Amino acid sequence: MKKIFYIETFGCQMNEYDSEKISGMLENLDYNRTKNINNANLIIYNTCLIRENAENKLYGKLGALKKLKMEKDDLILAVGGCIPQNEEIRNYILDKYPFIDIIFGTNTFYKLPEMINKHMNNSHEILVELEKNSSNLNENLPTVRKYEHKAFVNIMYGCNNFCSYCVVPHTRGRERSRNSKEILNEVENLASQGFKEITLLGQNVNSYGNDLDGDYRFTQLLEDIEKINEIERIRYVSSHPKDVGDEFIDFLGRSKKVCNHMHLPIQAGSSKVLKEMNRKYTKEDYIQIIKKLRNSVPNISISTDFIVGFPGESEEDFEETLSLCREVEFDAAFTFIYSVRPNTPAGKRIDQINDEVKHKRFNRLLETLYPIFYERNLAYKDKVVKVLVDKISKNKDEYLTGRSRSNRIVHFKGNSNLIGKIVNVRINKVKTWFLKGVLTEEEAYE
Ligand code: SF4
């Protein structure tokens, strides 16, 4: 039997990273990956629970698979990641979709090969493997990277923050930092294979090392990665404002390799709402951090996350969010409408905002943000930027797409042999979501 797997990943980069490891393990078992779900005899959904949308999307996909599962005797269906970590939802899935064969969690994906074998010997039993707070940091698992020039490197797992709307501490457990030597080995290994850009991943990278002995923290880790010659760009995501300290900000100002982009989720512009979200900073604290960042790295690009319609959010609270957008002038933002998440304090509140109000506020937020993004991009018109070329553009074959150091998407005409290289591009067209330009030999502005 030909072994072919299809994997679909929902949610954050952490899940993407886990899926790279799952793919690596399966390729070691002689599985080939397909992009066509109908060709697969192993289908895996690596799921996300952070928003209701992602949960509903999974149910839609599972419902649609029932027919395929009936038609194909040898089809194995696995659901993993964040959703199965929640007992209530897991039981709902087991009840509603009894044709699922394997269920694994965020801490047990390394058991998938063993579970597949077990299933092949006894296909009648549904296999469920879950651990809440695993100490297994999944070191040394094979990984299939999406790109050959840039890679994610996870530096920690879990989160201790318990924001009142969020399921992550429940699904991924408490913070566990990887040993710095393991991380540096992984980066050195990637560097020796020609990778140029590393993105360090964690739910809250700025608290890296707090759970380890000694005083080696995130800034020291960045300093050590910066010393690895072949690595030209370092990125990191996500940061929590409460953990962004002066030592780290000073280092950003000195660093030659850490990119001038920071994703710093604010979530809301009202200190009252932030308190109820259990974010542990005020609007004023956040603005102060942005000032320090811009003093240290004058052309730093700031992206953020917003949640609109948190329970009890008043019109005045929401106005504060809009005024914060104008004050900070974000370069980009991920915007979400609040949705009730299981077993969270915010989900239990009785002062939920009605859908119509949430949607109206959401649209007003976008109307405020988009012109700001465009203005911020306009500063790049006629400037030359260094671009790490990722791929051929989705829409036009003769165009390539890459990212500037400030994380802007840049499209330009070029030959595919430039993929994986850093080139200079003169920007001649600016849009809200991307820049367009031409290849040049001129010196880059950033
Ligand atoms: S910091 Fe807050 S929002 Fe982010 S993962 Fe942790 S609990 Fe969730």
Side-chain angles (χ1 to χ4, degrees), residues 29 65 101 104 152 161 170 326 424 426:
L29 289 179
L65 268 189
D101 303 296
F104 61 92
F152 295 137
N161 291 318
H170 309 279
R326 293 183 205 104
N424 289 2
R426 169 173 282 283

Side-chain angles (χ1 to χ4, degrees), residues 341-353:
R341 297 292 65 215
N343 304 328
T344 56
K348 292 180 188 136
R349 285 179 59 162
I350 51 165
D351 51 353
Q352 302 289 333
I353 306 293

Side-chain angles (χ1 to χ4, degrees), residues 107 110 131 133-139 141 157 176:
N107 297 319
Y110 70 96
E131 284 170 30
N133 269 312
S134 172
S135 55
N136 182 343
L137 297 185
N138 300 312
E139 298 295 353
L141 289 181
Y157 298 86
R176 286 148 287 146

